[in-house]
Amino acid sequence: RPDIYTNIYIKGIPDSWDEAKVNEEFGAFGSITSMALRQDPKGRMFAFINFEEPEQAKQCVETMHLKEVRTPEEIEKAKEDGKEDEVGPDGHSEGKLYVQRAQSKAER
């Protein structure tokens, strides 16, 4: 059932975040049983995190999806450049986390 899940996919992770920072931000929602932090060929960070309980994963998605992760300085610069609400080539807002249920290959 797609509404019961423990594995989430995250993209839009700032370059400055390491595994400890990702663990700190997402571990606040519950016990993480596994985590894979990777970079795509363009150097963009993404992660898969598996929680112990479905409620933890759901709460994480509800709280962290579209969370602003730019510094106040980065937001100010984006405003000055007219790129405050810029959307990347994948249709996702720049500077905000994308956090959703990880989909199986068959679903994508």
Side-chain angles (χ1 to χ4, degrees):
R1 292 183 36 200
D3 58 329
I4 297 178
Y5 58 92
T6 56
N7 198 18
I8 62 169
Y9 168 70
I10 304 133
K11 66 179 179 179
I13 299 170
D15 293 339
S16 61
W17 287 20
D18 59 9
E19 198 164 308
K21 175 70 172 166
V22 172
N23 212 3
E24 176 190 324
E25 290 285 331
F26 291 92
F29 295 94
S31 181
I32 293 175
T33 59
S34 65
M35 175 172 66
L37 183 62
R38 302 281 184 267
Q39 282 188 334
D40 71 10
K42 294 182 180 175
R44 297 174 298 194
M45 305 269 286
F46 67 95
F48 289 93
I49 292 179
N50 195 66
F51 286 98
E52 198 165 1
E53 300 292 332
E55 297 77 31
Q56 297 165 341
K58 190 169 192 244
Q59 183 64 47
C60 181
V61 168
E62 288 170 2
T63 305
M64 298 295 279
H65 184 58
L66 296 179
K67 179 181 177 179
E68 179 64 66
V69 289
R70 294 175 289 188
T71 64
E73 294 79 22
E74 289 170 329
I75 294 169
E76 195 53 46
K77 182 173 181 345
K79 282 181 184 173
E80 287 169 12
D81 295 345
K83 297 179 178 177
E84 185 183 2
D85 298 316
E86 190 164 68
V87 173
D90 59 1
H92 179 64
S93 302
E94 295 284 336
K96 293 184 179 163
L97 291 175
Y98 174 94
V99 183
Q100 291 295 310
R101 175 180 68 89
Q103 295 179 327
S104 69
K105 202 165 196 166
E107 290 179 291
R108 286 183 297 215

